[in-house]
Structure formats: structure tokens, C-alpha cells
Amino acid sequence: MQYPEAIAKLIDSYMKLPGIGSKSATRLAFYTIDMDEETVKQFAESLLKAKEDLHYCSICGNITDVDPCEICRDPNRDQSQILVVEQPKDIMALEKMHDYQGRYHVLHGVLSPMDGQGPEDLNIASLIKRLQNSEVNEVIVATNASPEGEATAMYLARLIKPAGIKVTRLAHGLSVGSDIEYADEMTLQRAVEGRREL
């Protein structure tokens, strides 16, 4: 039996989300249909509002509704450190531990030649620009402990070190192959405290 077109389109839409396969998309579509009309409208409005109101910070690349973002505007943050992450969601995970008080920079990905992702596809040029004429004396590379994350960390170290800026890497309190966003606060704290120079 074929689904009516409206349900089929809804299932296809849900399948575009990461980690959602055919069965999960079908379950979500039917759940959405069973929701009352007001809840569905609020859900749709939330999606549209997020898409309209959110953008990337012009300084660090974090997702924000004001530019520059709250972290970049905070005068109490340590200006001498920049912690480089792959995605904005990594900042949220690191901020939960309430221990790191420096600045951030979001790459929006990692080097991945297999996926056609090179340095020009990442937010690296603006990082280098931030390091010029600034008081930054340490860049902490917090890419994931994956082959692509490691390659990106080494690339950044080779790029930044000649400027006389210390480049460190999060300690491997994070297990290899894990994502920062799924680590608990204690693991993240140990990883930040045990960072090493590249």
C-alpha cells in the first residue's frame, strides 16, 4: 500500500534529518499527524523562526541570534585563549562544564579529502585573521578524536605555530572516535586540563 502524498512528503522530510531512517521517519510522520493543530503550528513556527533568526557570529562562527555572539561580547572572557571546535554544538557541550573562560572559534567541519572538504571549505581564514594583531597566546584545538579531527589539528598547528602562538590539543580523556557533544562534564574537564602542545 502506498501512503497518501502528504504523508509520503512528510516522511521524506523527516528522512533528511541526520540519524533518521525510513522507520523512524514514518513513526515521526504519523506522530505529527496525531498532534493537535495548534501544536503542529507552533512546531512549524519554531522551525521557521530558528531558520530566520539564527546565523553565525561574524567573529567566532558560533550560532547566534545577535552579532557578535554572547561569548564574543563578554569582556570577562580570557582574550589570550581561543578554543577551536568543529561545530557550534561542541561549544554548548564545553560551556556546560563552566570551567573554560576563554574564547571559541568554530571551523564548521574538518579536513576530509575523501568528502572533498579542504582548508578553503572550513572557517580557517577568519581564525588566522583573528590571531593577527591580537593578544592570543594559545590556541586549543578541540576537534574530535577521529582521523579527520587529528589531521585538522595537525594542519592548524603547522599553520599557527610559526606566528609564535602556542598550539595545544585536548588530552585524550575523550575516547578515540567519540564526539565532544556526547562526553560528560568530568571527561571534558579532564580533557581540557590535560591538553598537550602540538
Side-chain angles (χ1 to χ4, degrees):
M1 179 185 155
Q2 207 170 14
Y3 291 121
E5 186 180 351
I7 296 175
K9 284 185 176 179
L10 188 55
I11 291 169
D12 286 343
S13 295
Y14 277 122
M15 284 179 62
K16 291 176 183 170
L17 298 173
I20 303 293
S22 175
K23 287 183 180 181
S24 294
T26 302
R27 189 169 40 252
L28 288 169
F30 278 98
Y31 181 84
T32 304
I33 290 166
D34 288 339
M35 293 165 61
D36 64 83
E37 191 172 333
E38 186 59 34
T39 305
V40 172
K41 283 181 181 176
Q42 288 174 353
F43 183 66
E45 286 171 11
S46 296
L47 287 171
L48 289 171
K49 186 149 181 61
K51 194 66 181 159
E52 291 167 1
D53 294 353
L54 297 175
H55 53 275
Y56 295 123
C57 174
S58 60
I59 296 173
C60 72
N62 191 13
I63 198 156
T64 182
D65 56 355
V66 291
D67 193 23
C69 72
E70 181 182 338
I71 294 171
C72 288
R73 286 193 326 265
D74 187 348
N76 298 318
R77 302 294 291 218
D78 184 353
Q79 305 284 325
S80 69
Q81 292 181 328
I82 293 180
L83 195 149
V84 179
V85 296
E86 292 180 18
Q87 300 293 342
K89 61 187 174 185
D90 298 330
I91 292 178
M92 305 305 171
L94 288 158
E95 282 294 290
K96 282 182 190 174
M97 69 178 181
H98 304 289
D99 199 39
Y100 176 72
Q101 294 302 313
R103 305 280 180 166
Y104 292 96
H105 191 84
V106 183
L107 295 174
H108 298 286
V110 287
L111 296 175
S112 181
M114 296 288 285
D115 297 324
Q117 185 107 340
E120 65 283 349
D121 299 311
L122 303 180
N123 191 21
I124 294 175
S126 64
L127 172 62
I128 301 307
K129 187 176 179 183
R130 285 179 75 183
L131 297 176
Q132 297 168 350
N133 304 319
S134 74
E135 54 189 272
V136 175
N137 58 34
E138 181 183 12
V139 172
I140 305 164
V141 182
T143 51
N144 291 323
S146 64
E148 296 82 7
E150 291 295 328
T152 304
M154 295 309 294
Y155 178 83
L156 290 174
R158 284 195 303 271
L159 208 57
I160 297 167
K161 274 184 164 183
I165 297 170
K166 181 175 160 184
V167 181
T168 58
R169 178 94 167 104
L170 286 187
H172 285 281
L174 299 170
S175 60
V176 175
S178 67
D179 290 337
I180 288 175
E181 69 177 302
Y182 299 117
D184 61 26
E185 287 84 0
M186 184 61 74
T187 301
L188 284 171
Q189 185 173 1
R190 286 182 183 151
V192 170
E193 289 171 351
R195 66 186 181 271
R196 58 184 167 77
E197 189 164 352
L198 292 175

